[in-house]
């Protein structure tokens, strides 16, 4: 998952999965959900983000963040 804030437009993009976007739906004023070819969410765009969200902090809760490079499996030998 990737969060990207664009201060010049005061917009926040959250990418859930790196897949092609084939449809976008406005789910609330200034909030759009990006969908892939199977209707699965791949991203979220929020315009006027500083008026909608608290951008000063980012807290994560839940599963630990996985390493960027998967662990290598060792074969028994």
């Amino acid at each position: 998952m990737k969060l990207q804030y664009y201060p010049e437009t005061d917009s926040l993009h959250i990418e859930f999965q790196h897949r092609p976007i084939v449809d976008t739906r406005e789910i609330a004023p200034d909030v759009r959900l990006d969908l892939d070819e199977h209707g699965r969410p791949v991203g979220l765009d929020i315009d006027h983000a500083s008026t909608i969200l608290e951008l000063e902090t980012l807290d994560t809760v839940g599963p630990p963040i996985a390493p960027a490079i998967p662990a290598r499996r060792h074969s028994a030998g």
Side-chain angles (χ1 to χ4, degrees):
M1 185 177 343
K2 180 169 51 172
L3 281 77
Q4 198 161 10
Y5 177 68
Y6 301 93
E8 62 278 0
T9 59
D10 189 23
S11 59
L12 177 70
H13 177 75
I14 304 168
E15 181 181 274
F16 306 129
Q17 298 285 326
H18 186 70
R19 291 194 302 265
I21 298 167
V22 299
D23 190 18
T24 301
R25 298 184 186 166
E26 187 166 7
I27 58 173
D30 297 321
V31 180
R32 290 174 307 285
L33 183 65
D34 299 325
L35 305 169
D36 70 6
E37 65 182 336
H38 301 289
R40 296 178 298 205
V42 294
L44 189 70
D45 291 302
I46 303 172
D47 292 333
H48 310 288
S50 66
T51 64
I52 297 172
L53 306 170
E54 292 182 27
L55 297 176
E56 293 80 27
T57 61
L58 174 64
D59 294 326
T60 59
V61 179
I65 298 174
I69 301 172
R72 297 175 82 184
R73 292 187 179 176
H74 298 282
S75 58

